[in-house]
C-alpha cells in the first residue's frame, strides 16, 4: 500500500509538474503575470513567494494549476500583462505548452534510461524470469529461475530457440517441457493458450532481461523514435475508443495509482517507463477539442483569430459548462471501471 501511494504520488507529481511548467514558463516568456504556480489541489502544504509568483504544493496530488492574471477578462488586474490582453499567438503558445512538455518528457526519460542503463533485450539463456498468474506455466508447476532444456524432445539452447519452437505449436497441442531447477532435471506437460492477436501459443512466462548501454547519439535517436512509435499507437487507440466508447476500458486516478504500484514492484526503471507512457497519454487527451481542456481553449483561440474577436461571455460560459459536464461523466465512468477492477475482479 505504501509503495502504491508513493509510486502514484511520484508519477502524478512528475506529470503535473512538467505539464504546468510548460504553461508557466511560456506565460513568463510572453510577459504574462503568474500569481501562483501550484502542484496539487486543496489546502497548501508548502508555499513560498519569489518575485510576484507564489509557488505551492497542495494536499491533493491529482493535478495542478497556474494562476495567470487575466484568464477571466472581467477580473484582469494585470493590465497589459494579463492573459486576455496578449496577442492570440502568445495565448496559443501558453495553452499548447503544457501538452508539448508532456511529449518532451518521455524523450528525456527514454534518453536517460537508454544512455545509462541501456536497451532492454531478452537474455540469451532460456531461463524463466517470471511466471504469469493463472497461466498454463503456473498450473504446470514452473517457477521463476527454471531453465528450459527441451520441448517435446527438441533441445533448447537459447531463448530464441524457445520462442521459435512455440511459434510452431498448434492450438490445443500438448507439449512436454524438460527443465532444470537447482541443478536437478525435471519434466512437466501443459497445453499452451493460443493467442489470436499474437498468432502464437503462449504459456505465460517471461525471459530474463539484459540491458545494453547506448551512446549518447544513439540514445537520443532511439528515445525520439520510441516516443514517436508510442505516440502513434496511442492516437490510434484513442480513435478506436471514440468508435466504440461503450467497450472502452478506461482507468481513472484509482486505477492509475494501482498500476503505478504494480509497476513500481518491478523497479524504478519500469516506473519511469510507465510515467513516460502516461505523460504521452496526458498530452494527447489534453489536446482533444473539448471545452475545459487545453484543446478546447485552443479551438476558442482559433475562432477568435478567425472572427477578430473572442467568443461572447454566454457562449464561453455554456461551452465551459458542457466541457466540465463531459469530463465529469468521463471521470465517473473511469472511476466505476476502477472500482470494478480493484474490488470485484
Amino acid at each position: 500500500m505504501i509503495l502504491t501511494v508513493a509510486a502514484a504520488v511520484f508519477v502524478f507529481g512528475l506529470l503535473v509538474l512538467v505539464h504546468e511548467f510548460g504553461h508557466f514558463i511560456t506565460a513568463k516568456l510572453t510577459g504574462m503575470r503568474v500569481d501562483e504556480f501550484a502542484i496539487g489541489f486543496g489546502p497548501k502544504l508548502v508555499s513560498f513567494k519569489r518575485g510576484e509568483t507564489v509557488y505551492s504544493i497542495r494536499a491533493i496530488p491529482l493535478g495542478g494549476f497556474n494562476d495567470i492574471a487575466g484568464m477571466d477578462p472581467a477580473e484582469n488586474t494585470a493590465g497589459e500583462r494579463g492573459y486576455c490582453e496578449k496577442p492570440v499567438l502568445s495565448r496559443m503558445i501558453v495553452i499548447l505548452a503544457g501538452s508539448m512538455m508532456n511529449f518532451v518528457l518521455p524523450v528525456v526519460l527514454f534518453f536517460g534510461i537508454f544512455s545509462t542503463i541501456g536497451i532492454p533485450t531478452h537474455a540469451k539463456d532460456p531461463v524463466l524470469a517470471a511466471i504469469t498468474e493463472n497461466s498454463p506455466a503456473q498450473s504446470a508447476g514452473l517457477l521463476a529461475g527454471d531453465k528450459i532444456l527441451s520441448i517435446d524432445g527438441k533441445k533448447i539452447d537459447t531463448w530464441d530457440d524457445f520462442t521459435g519452437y512455440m511459434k510452431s505449436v498448434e492450438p490445443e497441442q500438448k507439449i512436454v517441457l524438460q527443465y532444470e531447477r537447482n541443478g536437478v532435471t525435471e519434466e512437466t506437460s501443459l497445453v499452451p493458450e493460443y493467442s489470436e492477436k499474437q498468432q502464437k501459443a503462449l504459456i505465460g512466462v517471461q525471459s530474463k532481461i539484459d540491458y545494453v548501454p547506448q551512446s549518447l547519439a544513439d540514445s537520443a535517436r532511439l528515445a525520439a523514435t520510441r516516443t514517436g512509435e508510442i505516440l502513434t499507437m496511442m492516437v490510434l487507440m484513442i480513435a478506436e475508443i471514440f468508435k466504440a466508447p461503450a467497450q472502452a476500458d478506461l482507468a481513472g486516478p484509482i486505477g492509475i495509482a494501482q498500476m503505478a504500484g504494480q509497476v513500481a514492484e518491478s523497479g524504478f526503471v519500469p516506473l519511469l517507463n510507465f510515467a513516460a507512457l502516461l505523460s504521452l497519454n496526458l498530452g494527447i487527451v489534453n489536446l482533444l477539442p473539448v471545452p475545459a481542456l487545453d484543446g478546447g481553449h485552443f479551438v476558442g483561440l482559433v475562432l477568435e483569430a478567425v472572427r477578430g474577436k473572442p467568443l461572447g461571455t454566454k457562449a464561453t460560459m455554456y461551452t465551459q459548462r458542457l466541457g466540465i459536464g463531459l469530463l465529469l461523466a468521463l471521470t465517473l465512468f473511469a472511476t466505476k471501471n476502477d472500482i470494478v477492477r480493484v474490488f470485484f475482479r
Side-chain angles (χ1 to χ4, degrees):
M1 180 65 179
I2 295 177
L3 180 62
T4 297
V5 172
V9 170
F10 170 76
V11 171
F12 283 126
L14 178 62
L15 268 55
V16 170
L17 175 63
V18 167
H19 183 90
E20 295 302 331
F21 180 76
H23 294 312
F24 170 80
I25 193 64
T26 50
K28 288 282 192 179
L29 290 173
T30 53
M32 298 178 190
R33 192 184 81 195
V34 183
D35 294 329
E36 184 176 358
F37 175 81
I39 300 301
F41 295 112
K44 294 179 182 178
L45 299 178
V46 179
S47 69
F48 61 90
K49 188 171 184 179
R50 289 289 183 274
E52 63 190 9
T53 305
V54 174
Y55 301 86
S56 65
I57 297 177
R58 294 173 177 255
I60 305 173
L62 297 179
F65 63 89
N66 281 282
D67 184 5
I68 303 175
M71 290 294 290
D72 183 350
E75 298 180 2
N76 180 28
T77 60
E80 293 182 354
R81 296 188 62 204
Y83 173 87
C84 59
E85 294 296 324
K86 293 297 180 179
V88 172
L89 180 59
S90 295
R91 284 179 277 155
M92 285 180 171
I93 291 172
V94 172
I95 290 300
L96 294 178
S99 289
M100 294 305 105
M101 287 297 290
N102 283 127
F103 297 146
V104 171
L105 176 62
V107 178
V108 174
L109 292 178
F110 288 141
F111 173 79
I113 293 171
F114 296 160
S115 61
T116 58
I117 297 173
I119 297 290
T121 58
H122 291 296
K124 183 178 180 181
D125 293 336
V127 176
L128 307 183
I131 308 297
T132 304
E133 193 172 341
N134 300 321
S135 65
Q138 186 183 57
S139 300
L142 292 173
L143 299 175
D146 291 345
K147 181 179 181 180
I148 304 299
L149 301 177
S150 69
I151 306 177
D152 294 335
K154 179 178 175 57
K155 188 178 179 182
I156 301 297
D157 293 317
T158 66
W159 186 259
D160 287 340
D161 290 343
F162 171 73
T163 56
Y165 187 89
M166 293 304 299
K167 290 178 181 178
S168 68
V169 174
E170 298 293 332
E172 305 302 321
Q173 176 184 335
K174 182 178 180 180
I175 62 175
V176 177
L177 288 171
Q178 190 179 66
Y179 60 95
E180 180 183 298
R181 178 185 298 168
N182 299 324
V184 179
T185 299
E186 301 188 34
E187 188 174 282
T188 188
S189 61
L190 55 84
V191 177
E193 295 176 344
Y194 193 80
S195 170
E196 292 291 343
K197 183 176 181 180
Q198 300 186 40
Q199 293 293 300
K200 64 179 180 180
L202 303 175
I203 65 173
V205 298
Q206 297 177 29
S207 72
K208 290 174 62 179
I209 298 296
D210 290 333
Y211 288 87
V212 181
Q214 306 293 305
S215 68
L216 294 180
D218 285 343
S219 296
R221 176 179 56 80
L222 291 169
T225 300
R226 173 72 63 84
T227 300
E229 291 173 347
I230 297 173
L231 189 60
T232 301
M233 178 189 68
M234 284 187 171
V235 170
L236 294 175
M237 290 175 61
I238 290 175
E240 289 298 319
I241 289 175
F242 278 104
K243 290 180 181 178
Q247 301 176 18
D249 188 19
L250 301 178
I254 297 174
I256 293 172
Q258 182 192 35
M259 286 185 279
Q262 292 171 344
V263 172
E265 291 178 356
S266 300
F268 188 60
V269 172
L271 186 62
L272 290 179
N273 276 284
F274 179 71
L277 298 179
L278 207 58
S279 184
L280 289 173
N281 187 269
L282 176 62
I284 295 170
V285 170
N286 256 291
L287 289 180
L288 294 177
V290 176
L293 291 179
D294 291 345
H297 285 297
F298 182 75
V299 171
L301 291 172
V302 171
L303 292 175
E304 179 180 340
V306 172
R307 298 173 71 240
K309 60 180 180 179
L311 293 175
T313 304
K314 285 188 176 181
T316 301
M317 179 182 67
Y318 289 139
T319 55
Q320 289 292 324
R321 286 180 178 177
L322 174 63
I324 292 171
L326 289 173
L327 291 177
L328 180 60
L330 185 62
T331 301
L332 291 173
F333 178 68
T335 302
K336 183 268 295 181
N337 286 350
D338 289 345
I339 293 172
V340 171
R341 187 185 300 109
V342 174
F343 297 106
F344 298 99
R345 288 185 183 177

